[in-house]
Amino acid sequence: MEMASSNPRSVEEIFKDYSGRRNGLIRALTNDVDNFYALCDPERENLCLYGHPDDSWEVTLPAEEVPPELPEPALGINFARDGMNRKDWLSLVAVHSDSWLLSVAFYLGARFNRNERKRLFSMINDLPTVFEVVTDRKQAKEKSGVDGGSRSKHSTKRSSDGQFKSSKAAEEVYGEEEDEHSETLCGICGSNYNADEFWIGCDICERWFHGKCVKITPAKAESIKQYKCPSCSGSKRSRQ
């Protein structure tokens, strides 16, 4: 692998490094997938998938030096190849690749201040993850932020006029009414509303909840026509 630069790096330089590595990993798992699959022979030693800043990729043994110059990707991806469905295996490699990309980016930006880290993550977060590209989930993720018949959608929140808007639209239209939004509390943990998190509203009691608090993901919310929170579901059962 290439050596990490000892010189300070800007947010833009690290993002360029991230983008190049990401492009290489996506190419390995999409356009060059047959070649990548063949290189991951389970009979070989522990192998890693590297993405390089020049948009290239490489399947090779991990770095020998300890500790390594940069964080290392998942070790031994080849061992699980023949024991899993091909699509599932590629998805697993993609998830580990996303984790590695973030670890490298924030390793290189370890000396950044809070605002620089936030700007770097914001730039990274604007791109689809490797997992989303490989599994073709980018479109589904974007769709989950669009209003539909149910209020159980990704990052949706009730506005003052009773309509439901995506968090981005709410920020644009009601940016000056943040205090009003902050009054919405999660019905489980009691935390304030945050547009950066996934929330879901109960269609019965009209309370709002963190998706993680009620174990509902954005993908699962897409299939729910009418969401009932745990309390409302329990009340219905108790009356039966």
Side-chain angles (χ1 to χ4, degrees):
M1 281 188 66
E2 73 285 348
M3 302 289 283
S5 172
S6 59
N7 298 322
R9 292 188 173 202
S10 68
V11 171
E12 288 72 20
E13 288 173 329
I14 293 180
F15 178 68
K16 182 179 179 180
D17 180 279
Y18 172 91
S19 298
R21 295 178 189 276
R22 171 182 171 275
N23 290 340
L25 294 171
I26 289 175
R27 179 175 293 114
L29 297 172
T30 55
N31 294 343
D32 300 343
V33 66
D34 290 336
N35 185 25
F36 167 69
Y37 190 87
L39 289 172
C40 292
D41 185 350
E43 297 300 321
R44 297 180 61 186
E45 297 182 57
N46 289 306
L47 295 176
C48 300
L49 171 62
Y50 293 93
H52 296 304
D54 62 357
D55 294 4
S56 64
W57 60 273
E58 179 183 17
V59 172
T60 187
L61 296 172
E64 294 183 359
E65 64 268 24
V66 178
E69 192 68 23
L70 287 174
E72 287 289 296
L75 180 67
I77 58 172
N78 51 314
F79 294 147
R81 192 196 72 176
D82 292 349
M84 300 177 64
N85 173 277
R86 173 166 166 153
K87 183 179 294 185
D88 292 340
W89 177 72
L90 291 173
S91 297
L92 179 63
V93 175
V95 169
H96 281 293
S97 296
D98 282 317
S99 299
W100 176 67
L101 286 172
L102 286 174
S103 68
V104 171
F106 281 86
Y107 173 87
L108 296 175
R111 292 178 174 80
F112 284 167
N113 60 35
R114 176 182 178 182
N115 289 334
E116 288 171 326
R117 290 194 304 271
K118 184 176 181 180
R119 186 154 65 92
L120 175 60
F121 181 76
S122 179
M123 295 169 71
I124 290 174
N125 203 39
D126 282 340
L127 296 174
T129 64
V130 176
F131 175 75
E132 287 172 338
V133 173
V134 170
T135 59
D136 197 26
R137 295 195 179 190
K138 178 176 181 290
Q139 183 176 359
K141 180 181 179 182
E142 291 175 343
K143 180 181 178 183
S144 65
V146 179
D147 285 339
S150 172
R151 297 192 298 121
S152 51
K153 301 294 181 183
H154 176 61
S155 294
T156 58
K157 186 180 186 300
R158 184 172 52 182
S159 67
S160 57
D161 60 3
Q163 295 180 337
F164 295 91
K165 304 176 183 295
S166 68
S167 59
K168 183 175 181 181
E171 288 175 11
E172 293 173 351
V173 179
Y174 301 104
E176 297 178 0
E177 300 178 355
E178 190 168 344
D179 289 341
E180 178 186 344
H181 291 331
S182 64
E183 293 176 1
T184 301
L185 303 177
C186 174
I188 298 294
C189 69
S191 298
N192 291 82
Y193 172 76
N194 186 338
D196 294 330
E197 299 177 299
F198 170 66
W199 285 64
I200 187 167
C202 177
D203 290 303
I204 305 301
C205 66
E206 297 190 335
R207 288 188 299 167
W208 286 85
F209 305 86
H210 284 113
K212 61 184 179 183
C213 288
V214 291
K215 298 181 180 180
I216 299 292
T217 64
K220 186 175 181 179
E222 280 297 297
S223 63
I224 300 176
K225 293 182 179 180
Q226 183 184 58
Y227 173 69
K228 296 180 182 179
C229 69
S231 296
C232 292
S233 297
S235 297
K236 182 179 179 181
R237 285 195 298 269
S238 64
R239 293 194 300 265
Q240 292 178 343

